[in-house]
Amino acid sequence: MAAVEQEGAYSNLLLNQVLKQANLTPADTGLATELVYGTIARQKTLDYYLESYVAKGLAKLQPWVRSLLRLSLYQILYLDRVPDHAAVSEAVNIAKRKGHQGISGMVNGVLRNILRNRDKLTIPDSLPAAERIALMHSHPEWLVQRWIEQYGEQEAEAMCRANNEAPPVSVRVNTTMISRNKLIQEMQEEGLVVEPSLLSDDGIIVKSGGNMALTDWYKEGMLSVQDESSMLVAGAVDPKPGMTVLDCCAAPGGKTSHMGEKMEDRGRIIANDIHPHKVELIHRQAERLGLASIETVCHDALDLASNYKEASFDRILLDAPCSGFGVIRRKPDLRWTKSPEDVEAISTLQYELLSRVSKLLKPGGTLVYSTCTTEHAENGGVVERFLKENDQFAPAGHLSLREELRHSAILDEYGIQILPHQFHSDGFYIARLTRVETS
């Protein structure tokens, strides 16, 4: 965690690397994962409580000592499986091994003092809304303030709360191989607790069943691990058998392969990404799922109009690079690494991408613009600007949702915004555009 804070390391990559070397049991691996992600997620709240008990202030501590205190306090406040005395004892032992007697004594004193005053660890209700929510749910105050302005105080707090909850496991059925009902039946016969997704007709929620990527169903290509909101994108594209489809920023290939399944593997999908190693991920995904219709290419999406003829695709998906604020619960450190300037910069790139790839759409075709963020500037703002400056394009109508779900999502003139607390899925924006046919 010190590496994540000090060097900007990605928590998921670093954790996976450490866990591979540690050779832990599945239970210990789960605990270690929860400790790391949970501590990073709750960092602001933990620091607020610790600051009153560290005499010289948290900022003056060595990074590893600061991380050790956060990790230990997280166990005390948020985990039931580790007794308080064990958390303190382990923290003191680590401090002795990595530091010296003075550090271990300080760690012991801070944690035991907190335990004695545990009932005093509260966030004042009298604070301004953005500050209170930011401290209570551990988010940057600037981001909470933006969400309050965009969605209101109640929605903003619900978003922050949802970002600290573990995401459910959801899988997508490869309907070229098996029906959803049949796969659900097989899973239940194997003792898994599953239920059909309410958001996607191709989705299954796995309540208990372990790592789905290690199952025979996964290895044999019958399913893919994918969030429910993400599954909606292929439905919005609505590709038909025999069509020619372009996926501009396709890695790691989940939406690409879903489109291939919806096309019954008949037609042609050009799956592009700028990074060769990510293109290989898409290729391996297509092979695992038995989808021969997917052709992988490696270009900068800004240059795709130079590689293909104008008006040559029936469908285009631009799942644009974005701030990622809709997937904070999966990437807890993301909340601490982004800034308001990042939102502005990425929205400029998104607009440029949309403007360039749109030239490749046939008249009467459908272009879907999607992101996994909650920022209006990156979503409706980009689409609105594009339509104002490109009169040959128009909204193509909203993606189809069940009526009861449609009432919960947020619809603007161009697309649909799903917030992370509404369906316990990732935050996503999906807009459908069409190129107007001229006589």
Side-chain angles (χ1 to χ4, degrees), residues 422-435:
Q422 291 171 327
F423 308 119
H424 305 291
S425 62
D426 290 347
F428 241 87
Y429 180 80
I430 304 170
R432 303 177 72 247
L433 308 176
T434 186
R435 190 169 191 170

Side-chain angles (χ1 to χ4, degrees), residues 257-321:
S257 54
H258 195 190
M259 290 190 292
E261 292 160 5
K262 285 189 171 297
M263 293 167 64
E264 301 170 9
D265 200 29
R266 292 188 284 132
R268 184 185 183 209
I269 301 178
I270 304 297
N272 174 73
D273 200 84
I274 192 172
H275 302 291
H277 70 283
K278 291 187 176 180
V279 171
E280 179 59 27
L281 289 177
I282 305 168
H283 178 71
R284 290 207 300 265
Q285 182 93 300
E287 280 197 328
R288 181 181 66 82
L289 296 166
L291 299 172
S293 58
I294 295 172
E295 175 187 332
T296 54
V297 296
C298 188
H299 302 294
D300 185 333
L302 288 168
D303 298 331
L304 283 169
S306 304
N307 291 278
Y308 298 97
K309 291 181 181 178
E310 184 171 344
S312 56
F313 290 93
D314 301 290
R315 299 285 189 269
I316 295 177
L317 170 59
L318 175 57
D319 187 48

